[in-house]
Amino acid sequence: MTARMYYDNDADPAALRGQTVAVIGYGSQGHAHALNLHESGVNVVVGLAPASKSRPLAADAGLRVADVADAVRDADVVMILVPDTAQKAVYDAEIEPNLRPGQLLMFAHGFNIHFGRIDPPADIDVGMVAPKGPGHLLRSVYLAGGGVPALFAVHRDASGTARARVLAYARALGNTRAGVLETTFAEETETDLFGEQALLCGGVSSLVKAAFETLVEAGYQPELAYFETMHELKLIVDLMYRGGLNFMRFSVSDTAEYGDYVSGPRVTEGAKVAMKDILGDIQSGSFAKRWVAEYDSGGAEFARMREQDKHHQIEEVGARLRAAMPFVNPVVVEAGQAQAAASGAGAAESRPKEAAR
Ligand code: NAD
Ligand code: MG
């Protein structure tokens, strides 16, 4: 069975005509949603805490800014784009008390609905548009006239208009230019967590570190190990992105391709068992429970692990080497900020990232 894709023609902007969308939060996703919607002709208000450092940013971008409670009262659609761990507190204090029947509450990730941390009243529509890309890409691709693909879901359609409004929202974000795919909150949440843990963030960074350490421990030069294990990874991933594994194998030497077939599976022996375990922890809710408890108790373990990996040898070697390669547009992450590393580099993404709390 192939999934149905929805494109611009399947999403009628009229479903949001005359409506106001409150975008709560102005971080990675928040700024992109607010600006893309605004430029697509949707009436947008950005809901932020009175002391939020994002207020001047949003206002300078020409957006209307209000306290969260006022933004919710003003809106027909409320999109929650604060970090997943912070959503419940913001929802309980400022969103739920101001909801009224017929409003559509939206998410960009199903975590809080799926794990039962947020349970909206029965007369509220609940939907999701989850772009398959970080916020700065959602924004830059839209500006260039394209769109990043997204998943959408309707958890509850009390008004009978939820589905049309969710699709119109995805269109205003630019997603339907590339195609959107329907899912459920359960499927989106479980696959998203699995992907980032087993492969995209966790699996890949563990493989890179293990390969780097193996070379350095065997006496090879760390700088060479960096180029081999982290720098070249992008070149390989770019080939896969354009033409799948077949194009990567078409492009590399026969020696590399033969080694791929005979040695690759030795690296991941046992990996599928671990992946099934990880998926089990996600499906049972035990990962969510552990992460929420960690966040609620102050995030000490999270901070310790972050600090430890920050000083891994590959990070220190890599930062030095990248500074001499302006073409990679290098950035350094310091005190929760990402900043351009080398003069002469193009504009790097520079935005604050909230700490665990
Ligand atoms: P973020 O970390 O960029 O933070 C968003 C904003 O929330 C901050 O800029 C700040 O204005 C506000 N905020 C931070 N801490 C807060 C707190 N304790 N109380 C109230 N407000 C607070 O968040 P994000 O990465 O944009 O994620 C927002 C949502 O989008 C999440 O549900 C996430 O899963 C989802 N999502 C993110 C991405 C991504 O690439 N970042 C991709 C798809 C979906
Ligand atoms: Mg994801």
Side-chain angles (χ1 to χ4, degrees), residues 109 131-133 188 191-193 195-196 200:
H109 178 39
K132 290 285 100 183
E188 185 277 335
T191 54
D192 192 69
L193 292 173
E196 65 201 19
L200 304 173

Side-chain angles (χ1 to χ4, degrees), residues 246-278:
N246 284 337
F247 183 53
M248 184 274 284
R249 285 160 176 168
F250 167 85
S251 304
V252 301
S253 68
D254 284 357
T255 309
E257 185 180 357
Y258 180 71
D260 168 350
Y261 299 133
V262 300
S263 301
R266 293 170 64 191
V267 174
T268 54
E269 219 175 298
K272 242 169 133 177
V273 175
M275 285 182 177
K276 282 181 185 157
D277 242 40
I278 289 166

Side-chain angles (χ1 to χ4, degrees), residues 300-312:
E301 185 200 17
F302 184 38
R304 181 186 55 70
M305 295 187 295
R306 179 184 269 172
E307 190 56 27
Q308 182 185 316
D309 253 33
K310 201 161 125 186
H311 300 294
H312 191 285

Side-chain angles (χ1 to χ4, degrees), residues 160-183:
T161 63
R163 190 184 168 78
R165 288 195 286 176
V166 165
L167 279 167
Y169 189 104
R171 177 163 176 171
L173 266 189
N175 303 130
T176 48
R177 294 171 180 171
V180 299
L181 161 64
E182 187 159 18
T183 183

Side-chain angles (χ1 to χ4, degrees), residues 37-178:
L37 289 170
H38 176 68
E39 286 163 28
S40 293
V42 176
N43 194 9
V44 171
V45 56
V46 178
L48 290 171
S52 168
K53 281 176 273 172
S54 300
R55 278 191 174 239
L57 287 178
D60 288 351
L63 296 164
R64 187 156 68 89
V65 179
D67 291 349
V68 175
D70 292 331
V72 171
R73 277 192 292 263
D74 266 13
D76 305 281
V77 177
V78 179
M79 172 56 106
I80 307 184
L81 294 174
V82 303
D84 296 306
T85 39
Q87 287 183 9
K88 182 177 162 51
V90 175
Y91 175 83
D92 288 348
E94 291 171 279
I95 297 177
E96 187 170 82
N98 298 297
L99 289 176
R100 59 173 190 281
Q103 279 176 314
L104 166 63
L105 185 66
M106 289 187 66
F107 297 82
H109 178 39
F111 192 96
N112 284 282
I113 292 289
H114 178 60
F115 293 118
R117 289 165 46 78
I118 292 178
D119 183 18
D123 49 16
I124 299 294
D125 292 351
V126 181
M128 166 166 50
V129 172
K132 290 285 100 183
H136 71 276
L137 201 64
L138 184 63
R139 180 67 186 139
S140 62
V141 173
Y142 174 90
L143 280 175
V148 302
L151 304 179
F152 77 96
V154 178
H155 176 70
R156 186 190 298 130
D157 193 349
S159 73
T161 63
R163 190 184 168 78
R165 288 195 286 176
V166 165
L167 279 167
Y169 189 104
R171 177 163 176 171
L173 266 189
N175 303 130
T176 48
R177 294 171 180 171

